[in-house]
Amino acid sequence: MNSAISCQNIIKTYNTDGQIVTALNGINVEIGLGELMMLVGPSGCGKTTLISIIAGILNQDSGQCLLFGEDFQALTNKEQLRFRAHNIGFVFQAYNLLPALNAIENVSVPLIINGTKRAIAEQKAKEILEQMGLSERMKALPAQLSGGQQQRVAIARALVHSPRLIVCDEPTSALDHKSGHIIMTLLKSIALKHDRALVIVTHDARIFNFADRIAEMDDGHIIKISTTTATETN
Ligand SMILES: Nc1ncnc2c1ncn2[C@@H]1O[C@H](COP(=O)(O)OP(=O)(O)OP(=O)(O)O)[C@@H](O)[C@H]1O
Ligand SMILES: [Mg+2]
């Protein structure tokens, strides 16, 4: 299997006022090109920490994580920024939309960062927002959108620049069954073409059948990886 992501013995601790929390305690995992892996486990077990390291937005204390063969932590800050901007889309658990920008502008940001002209970026943003079922709400600010609508804007923003890796933290938590199904189908069809990879943290059993493999985490460890027969493709 060619790896999109290869993590070896990842350890991550947080130190808050002298209180040490070991969030990840020796994670080994390979995620293949063209694979959708889901991560499940109880609150506080380390899921967000792990995907933040995989996506290069948090540094591990020790261990190595290769992203498409690249040792992200060995890159300079400038190289890291560039690598992330081109290769990674991230859907945050709390969406992290920019409050002063409307939906189209929020979704355009990754393209503009990569040098796309504003008019072209906004056209692409509109197309993807339409696919997300948000044609009527494209000019709305995040505060004027429902939770599920904000979540779909956040997913559109992670997809718009066609990154090679998309990482999502609970992408369907605010969506009803039908919207969740539409969004997962779209995510999978966009994210997995041309041998990309998709990593999704979820508690939502309704979407498990989109996964190729499901990794169960507990207390900073991956305790089990099951191979599923993905019945939902695209
Ligand atoms: N910035 C931080 N500073 C200190 N401790 C943190 C920080 N972020 C996470 N932790 C701790 O690290 C552990 C793992 O947290 P993490 O957010 O990765 O869990 P999670 O599996 O994503 O949980 P949830 O399902 O509730 O989102 C928890 O004990 C948490 O309290
Ligand atoms: Mg989390």
Side-chain angles (χ1 to χ4, degrees):
M1 179 169 75
N2 284 329
S3 289
I5 296 154
S6 170
C7 292
Q8 268 136 36
N9 204 19
I10 301 290
I11 294 185
K12 174 69 186 174
T13 54
Y14 294 105
N15 184 343
T16 319
D17 300 329
Q19 196 197 359
I20 312 259
V21 173
T22 304
L24 299 177
N25 199 1
I27 296 283
N28 294 292
V29 67
E30 303 267 329
I31 300 172
L33 291 168
E35 184 170 38
L36 193 180
M37 179 172 270
M38 288 191 189
L39 275 181
V40 300
S43 179
C45 71
K47 304 179 298 294
T48 297
T49 304
L50 178 57
I51 59 167
S52 302
I53 289 171
I54 285 175
I57 56 179
L58 184 70
N59 288 333
Q60 64 269 36
D61 300 342
S62 62
Q64 193 182 50
C65 189
L66 299 181
L67 271 182
F68 302 106
E70 194 82 58
D71 181 356
F72 189 81
Q73 231 177 353
L75 301 178
T76 63
N77 281 350
K78 205 173 157 194
E79 287 168 338
Q80 286 188 348
L81 280 176
R82 201 181 138 74
F83 186 87
R84 260 202 318 259
H86 282 95
N87 294 297
I88 296 170
F90 201 102
V91 180
F92 293 89
Q93 202 163 4
Y95 317 147
N96 293 13
L97 297 173
L98 296 164
L101 302 187
N102 70 30
I104 297 174
E105 292 161 344
N106 260 291
V107 175
S108 304
V109 166
L111 291 170
I112 289 171
I113 288 174
N114 284 336
T116 307
K117 289 210 170 73
R118 191 185 182 92
I120 295 170
E122 294 200 346
Q123 185 52 40
K124 273 198 99 165
K126 276 185 199 167
E127 284 164 20
I128 197 148
L129 284 165
E130 264 163 31
Q131 287 180 286
M132 295 278 170
L134 289 171
S135 315
E136 313 294 321
R137 305 297 289 134
M138 295 206 250
K139 297 257 170 79
L141 297 173
Q144 298 164 333
L145 295 170
S146 71
Q149 289 170 337
Q150 290 179 47
Q151 190 158 40
R152 281 178 282 160
V153 174
I155 294 168
R157 182 180 57 181
L159 289 173
V160 73
H161 55 309
S162 302
R164 292 169 76 190
L165 170 66
I166 296 184
V167 179
C168 308
D169 208 346
E170 301 281 1
T172 57
S173 60
L175 301 179
D176 60 86
H177 180 62
K178 188 165 165 239
S179 312
H181 199 274
I182 293 171
I183 295 310
M184 279 305 302
T185 304
L186 193 63
L187 254 177
K188 199 163 177 181
S189 70
I190 296 178
L192 291 186
K193 67 183 175 196
H194 315 307
D195 280 357
R196 289 152 191 260
L198 181 53
V199 183
I200 295 181
V201 168
T202 190
H203 286 104
D204 185 356
R206 299 171 306 180
I207 65 168
F208 286 166
N209 53 359
F210 283 90
D212 296 306
R213 288 190 299 159
I214 299 181
E216 282 175 47
M217 287 185 70
D218 196 16
D219 202 16
H221 297 276
I222 290 179
I223 52 169
K224 184 177 167 194
I225 298 186
S226 352
T227 303
T228 59
T229 316
T231 52
E232 301 279 0
T233 48
N234 51 47

